[in-house]
Amino acid sequence: MNNVKVAVEKVVKSFGSLTAADNIDLDIMEGEFLTLLGASGCGKTTLMRMIAGFETVTSGRILIDGKDVTHLSPRDRNLGMVFQQYSLFPHMTIAENIGYGLRARRLPEAEIRNRVREMLELIQLPHLAESKPPQLSGGQQQRVALARALAGRPSVLMLDEPLGALDQKLREQLQEELRRIHRETGSTFLFVTHDQEEALSLSDRIAVMRGGKISQLASPEELYLRPANDYVADFIGQVTFIDGIWQRSTGHVTTAYGQRLKAEIELADGPVRLAVRPENVRLAEADAPNSVNGTLVEMVHQTGTTTYQVELPNGLMVKARQLGLREARLQPGTPIGLHFDTCKLAFAQI
């Protein structure tokens, strides 16, 4: 991934008084799986549509493979698109659906057959070549839509919430398929989603968007462990914010409730905010060393884990997540201690 495949330079998009994209700079590298992540209305879909040519740019420019495409039509940008709706032709076979765009481009019939065969093998559905879309499951239809988009060998494959209409188990299966197909094709993928877990699972890098701007662009690991600000920390997974005073000479943060937490951070002395993940908080006995006392409020069992919500004396709610079923001895109202794994805390200067 050494070459810039897509360059977005100082792009602005305004709808009257509303600015949907605010002076955005973004490079998408060749062969990269990059995700635009954010809540509804953050500008992620508008940015994708501008790259695709479905929305005009108010100012700035967009380059694909080094070529300025800012004012080119979508068909002249050599991009593939996959949407939440499969948009397959129900009267055509799967093979005919995959080859439809190739025939529209008047490629030789032999080449079309070869590419269709290649795509059917890629999505592992060669046995369904003569079936029609209504005979396929939702997941199979989405794989066919993906194959149809890839058949034209686009410079970039753009995926706009493609898994949003599927149930959770099927979404997880299709995520595995997307990872495999991206790995096997080496194509450049631009993915749009509001689902944090999906973005973390699939992406090489993630651009977290808010209010038409990119709040942070980084790898999933960096976003999760070193968020640039409160918004990113809160948007990527669960988090509890704890304020305190950082003193470099002692290597401790003194929290608002008096606990001193050992830390290794590169910040100037002064107020800091600790973004604490539930998996970095461990349950302890009340009054245990280097822990803070609280009261157990709630326990929620999820697949393979239990999340404990504990209220501290100052009213702050902290979540702790542990493997396994909830401990039978623990009930709401039980006094309990919390120990913070300071080595894994994410920090941001206030």
Side-chain angles (χ1 to χ4, degrees):
M1 298 191 301
N2 297 321
N3 300 321
V4 176
K5 195 70 173 176
V6 179
V8 177
E9 299 179 351
K10 308 296 181 187
V11 164
V12 174
K13 177 61 181 180
S14 299
F15 297 97
S17 60
L18 173 66
T19 301
D22 190 357
N23 201 39
I24 291 177
D25 286 309
L26 175 66
D27 285 344
I28 304 171
M29 310 308 290
E30 185 173 3
E32 182 174 34
F33 196 127
L34 188 139
T35 295
L36 303 178
L37 173 67
S40 297
C42 71
K44 60 186 185 296
T45 297
T46 299
L47 177 56
M48 171 178 272
R49 288 177 60 81
M50 286 190 293
I51 293 172
F54 297 130
E55 291 285 356
T56 59
V57 172
T58 302
S59 63
R61 66 176 190 159
I62 295 170
L63 293 86
I64 299 176
D65 291 321
K67 178 182 178 181
D68 190 338
V69 301
T70 310
H71 303 294
L72 294 184
S73 67
R75 69 168 57 190
D76 294 326
R77 301 190 184 200
N78 188 32
L79 301 174
M81 294 291 301
V82 180
F83 300 97
Q84 189 175 121
Q85 297 76 25
Y86 316 129
S87 303
L88 301 177
F89 297 110
H91 62 286
M92 292 184 182
T93 67
I94 298 311
E96 289 169 341
N97 267 281
I98 294 173
Y100 179 80
L102 304 178
R103 289 189 172 86
R105 291 163 53 182
R106 300 186 178 181
L107 269 63
E109 194 61 33
E111 184 175 353
I112 292 173
R113 286 196 300 271
N114 287 337
R115 286 207 202 175
V116 169
R117 188 181 307 113
E118 178 186 335
M119 290 299 106
L120 284 168
E121 291 291 343
L122 180 68
I123 63 172
Q124 300 179 342
L125 295 177
H127 58 292
L128 296 178
E130 298 306 312
S131 301
K132 293 186 176 179
Q135 298 173 278
L136 273 59
S137 69
Q140 289 171 330
Q141 290 187 59
Q142 191 59 289
R143 284 153 71 183
V144 173
L146 183 63
R148 182 180 58 186
L150 284 169
R153 296 177 180 168
S155 290
V156 183
L157 182 66
M158 313 187 78
L159 305 107
D160 189 6
E161 304 266 9
L163 310 182
L166 306 175
D167 62 56
Q168 183 61 34
K169 187 170 183 178
L170 192 53
R171 285 182 75 154
E172 291 173 358
Q173 292 173 354
L174 263 292
Q175 286 171 19
E176 293 179 5
E177 284 294 299
L178 276 176
R179 284 195 295 269
R180 178 184 63 80
I181 290 170
H182 177 255
R183 182 175 62 251
E184 291 183 6
T185 62
S187 301
T188 305
F189 282 18
L190 178 60
F191 191 86
V192 164
T193 185
H194 64 274
D195 188 306
Q196 301 94 325
E197 293 297 327
E198 192 167 81
L200 291 170
S201 170
L202 290 171
S203 314
D204 294 318
R205 289 191 301 159
I206 302 170
V208 180
M209 296 193 64
R210 181 189 188 192
K213 295 178 179 289
I214 295 176
S215 290
Q216 187 174 359
L217 172 63
S219 68
E221 295 79 12
E222 186 172 355
L223 285 176
Y224 194 78
L225 297 174
R226 293 179 294 280
N229 50 55
D230 290 4
Y231 178 79
V232 174
D234 192 37
F235 195 79
I236 302 291
Q238 295 181 325
V239 69
T240 300
F241 294 113
I242 300 176
D243 292 342
I245 303 297
W246 162 245
Q247 190 171 5
R248 184 188 294 268
S249 61
T250 65
H252 285 87
V253 174
T254 303
T255 68
Y257 47 84
Q259 187 187 29
R260 296 175 76 237
L261 299 178
K262 181 70 176 176
E264 295 179 3
I265 54 179
E266 296 298 326
L267 293 174
D269 288 359
V272 293
R273 176 157 292 167
L274 284 60
V276 185
R277 303 292 185 189
E279 61 269 25
N280 300 143
V281 183
R282 291 185 281 116
L283 301 183
E285 297 294 334
D287 299 317
N290 198 31
S291 68
V292 58
N293 290 337
T295 303
L296 182 61
V297 174
E298 186 179 31
M299 297 167 288
V300 178
H301 178 63
Q302 296 160 307
T303 306
T305 65
T306 302
T307 300
Y308 301 87
Q309 184 162 299
V310 178
E311 183 177 8
L312 302 186
N314 63 352
L316 180 69
M317 292 290 185
V318 178
K319 291 182 178 179
R321 184 177 298 127
Q322 297 191 164
L323 292 174
L325 298 173
R326 67 189 181 97
E327 298 184 36
R329 66 180 179 83
L330 297 177
Q331 298 295 330
T334 303
I336 199 167
L338 293 179
H339 178 82
F340 298 104
D341 184 353
T342 57
C343 296
K344 297 181 181 178
L345 294 178
F347 298 85
Q349 189 88 37
I350 298 176

